[in-house]
Amino acid sequence: MITELATNVYWVGAVDWAIRRFHGHVLSTHRGTTYNSYLIKDEKNVLVDTVWDPFAQEWLAGLRQIIDPARIDLVVANHAEPDHSGGLPPLMRLCPNATVVVSKRGAESIPGHYHQPWHLKPVGTGERINIGSSDLVFIEAPMLHWPDSMLTYLTGRNLLMPNDAFGQHYASAFRFNDQVNQEQLYEEALKYYVNILTPFSSLVTKKIEEVLALNLPVDLIAPSHGVIWRQDPLQIVRRYQEWAAQKPEKRAVILYDTMWQATRRMAEAIGDGLLAGGVPHKIIHAAAADRNDALVEVFRSKAVLVGSPTLNNGLLPSLMPLLEDLKGLKFKNKIGAAFGSYGWSGEGVKLIEQHLAACKIPPAAPGVLAKWQPTADDLEKCRALGHAVAAAVLAEG
Ligand code: FEO
């Protein structure tokens, strides 16, 4: 349903209640998502971002309720990823003379996706376009999270449209942050940050400082996914500052897989040691867990312990996507440890330690290896490992 956000400014997006996998199959979206698109009616009519192609026809039908698309003068494409640009081809067929406003890198990525002779206007940080009673102001945000990413600000309404930043994959009948369950909202906002923005955390910090230094009044932050921050809109900016600082909690996460329960028993003994040492933890069976949810636990936790039996001179394959993300997401300020059972060759623990080193996660204690099913002595070594990791977690300032 079209929603008026401010005088002559409308949400005209689409709610995708059903999607459960995003970015192909990279990201789980248990609560669906929205593709937010904004219409500003003024002397020049402006559309900021579109929707994913499967929703384009219903999106255009909604748009037609408040404007003839042929009357759109400017289309701001803050970012070329198809969940925001997918509606461009059908829209531009209806307003072929409209100008598509893009960042400088967007001048490569939009044509790179659509290969159409649209009239593009690249803009840089601080550039303004007057649309009548107000101005659009643009702020480039390269790598937040693509090279082309850009934020658009509307003067007069004090509306920041930061595209993917500050978003959540959260389908809702409501459009504003104060209308939804706060716990769910922040679960989704954090999951989004962890899985998409963590590698760019230092850029997030700098960009927020840069935007705050502009002293632009902000009454609404309208991202391209999820609800719009209306009540205390800067709350999500403060949260991003905290998340970008990557100061994990004094807790631990144990990621493991197991064939015949030996490594599971080791994981639980390590958990006992952590708890005895005063550190709360979660034990996650990688083969059964949602990878993106597990990564949220990793993000929150100071210590990451990884366990696998040795299989075919390597690790159980179910751990590999998590280990790949552990490297790619570039988590900071972690400590780690490895454990696992084996029957004959026994390289698993060493391989995990090498992997943690490649992720720049230093060892808090030497790993524990147990042959066949762990003995009472092996389980005691696991408890000692948990205790040593707990001590290292609590020793950090
Ligand atoms: Fe929501 Fe980068 O796409």
Side-chain angles (χ1 to χ4, degrees):
M1 192 172 75
I2 304 290
T3 306
E4 188 166 20
L5 308 183
T7 307
N8 289 329
V9 179
Y10 304 86
W11 176 90
V12 291
V15 180
D16 187 346
W17 292 94
I19 192 165
R20 290 295 178 270
R21 290 278 156 192
F22 200 82
H23 284 153
H25 283 256
V26 173
L27 181 62
S28 62
T29 49
H30 307 314
R31 295 190 174 102
T33 194
T34 73
Y35 312 106
N36 295 341
S37 169
Y38 301 102
L39 175 72
I40 305 156
K41 288 167 84 172
D42 208 321
E43 287 172 25
K44 286 181 183 157
N45 296 311
V46 182
L47 190 78
V48 178
D49 291 322
T50 72
V51 299
W52 190 31
D53 172 66
F55 291 83
Q57 291 311 316
E58 66 190 68
W59 163 72
L60 286 171
L63 199 56
R64 283 192 184 97
Q65 292 174 22
I66 44 174
I67 195 168
D68 174 357
R71 292 183 50 226
I72 291 174
D73 303 289
L74 297 172
V75 182
V76 178
N78 277 319
H79 170 40
E81 212 167 354
D83 51 325
H84 310 297
S85 66
L88 277 175
L91 176 72
M92 294 304 290
R93 283 195 283 276
L94 301 172
C95 54
N97 296 321
T99 296
V100 181
V101 181
V102 291
S103 68
K104 288 173 185 143
R105 300 298 292 276
E108 299 166 21
S109 59
I110 289 286
H113 277 76
Y114 298 103
H115 311 289
Q116 294 294 318
W118 299 328
H119 176 236
L120 297 186
K121 178 177 173 53
V123 290
T125 294
E127 277 192 52
R128 287 176 176 248
I129 297 178
N130 179 264
I131 59 169
S133 66
S134 54
D135 289 352
L136 299 172
V137 184
F138 304 98
I139 302 157
E140 290 167 287
M143 297 320 296
L144 299 178
H145 68 120
W146 271 22
D148 62 357
S149 297
M150 176 171 83
L151 326 182
T152 299
Y153 177 82
L154 179 67
T155 65
R157 314 304 196 290
N158 304 338
L159 167 63
L160 181 66
M161 291 165 281
N163 193 261
D164 279 323
F166 312 125
Q168 334 90 46
H169 288 306
Y170 189 23
S172 170
F174 300 107
R175 298 278 70 80
F176 296 104
N177 66 318
D178 49 287
Q179 296 174 305
V180 299
N181 179 297
Q182 298 301 293
E183 196 176 328
Q184 291 181 1
L185 171 60
Y186 270 103
E187 257 179 43
E188 296 302 337
L190 176 60
K191 180 174 176 178
Y192 189 101
Y193 185 90
V194 169
N195 284 278
I196 297 172
L197 288 159
T198 303
F200 314 112
S201 288
S202 60
L203 295 174
V204 169
T205 302
K206 281 189 201 135
K207 187 52 63 178
I208 288 176
E209 284 168 5
E210 181 190 322
V211 173
L212 292 177
L214 296 174
N215 281 320
L216 299 169
V218 175
D219 291 338
L220 289 166
I221 296 180
S224 54
H225 298 291
V227 294
I228 294 157
W229 302 90
R230 167 175 77 177
Q231 185 184 67
D232 183 14
L234 292 177
Q235 63 178 284
I236 189 60
V237 178
R238 294 191 292 273
R239 284 295 186 99
Y240 264 47
Q241 287 176 309
E242 286 168 23
W243 295 336
Q246 293 208 51
K247 291 189 178 151
E249 299 169 39
K250 291 184 184 300
R251 52 189 291 134
V253 61
I254 302 172
L255 309 169
Y256 79 99
D257 196 5
T258 193
M259 286 178 79
W260 293 109
Q261 311 304 316
T263 303
R264 176 187 64 76
R265 293 172 62 214
M266 296 175 77
E268 290 177 3
I270 291 168
D272 289 345
L274 283 163
L275 208 53
V279 169
H281 63 277
K282 275 200 176 167
I283 299 178
I284 295 178
H285 182 196
D290 179 282
R291 191 182 90 262
N292 305 109
D293 293 338
L295 289 165
V296 173
E297 288 303 322
V298 172
F299 179 85
R300 292 179 62 195
S301 302
K302 175 72 188 172
V304 187
L305 297 102
V306 181
S308 173
T310 301
L311 174 73
N312 297 335
N313 307 110
L315 306 178
L316 289 195
S318 56
L319 280 162
M320 302 318 288
L322 261 175
L323 293 178
E324 194 61 25
D325 270 329
L326 212 53
K327 188 160 59 168
L329 292 176
K330 299 184 174 70
F331 292 114
K332 289 195 167 53
N333 305 319
K334 307 284 183 209
I335 54 176
F339 63 97
S341 67
Y342 73 105
W344 46 104
S345 64
E347 299 93 329
V349 165
K350 196 169 151 202
L351 289 171
I352 292 169
E353 287 178 338
Q354 286 171 357
H355 200 97
L356 291 173
C359 301
K360 298 189 170 57
I361 299 178
V368 175
L369 191 62
K371 188 159 188 175
W372 306 120
Q373 288 291 331
T375 62
D377 187 47
D378 291 330
L379 292 175
E380 189 49 43
K381 283 182 189 159
C382 290
R383 281 187 281 275
L385 173 61
H387 213 274
V389 172
V393 167
L394 296 176
E396 297 272 335

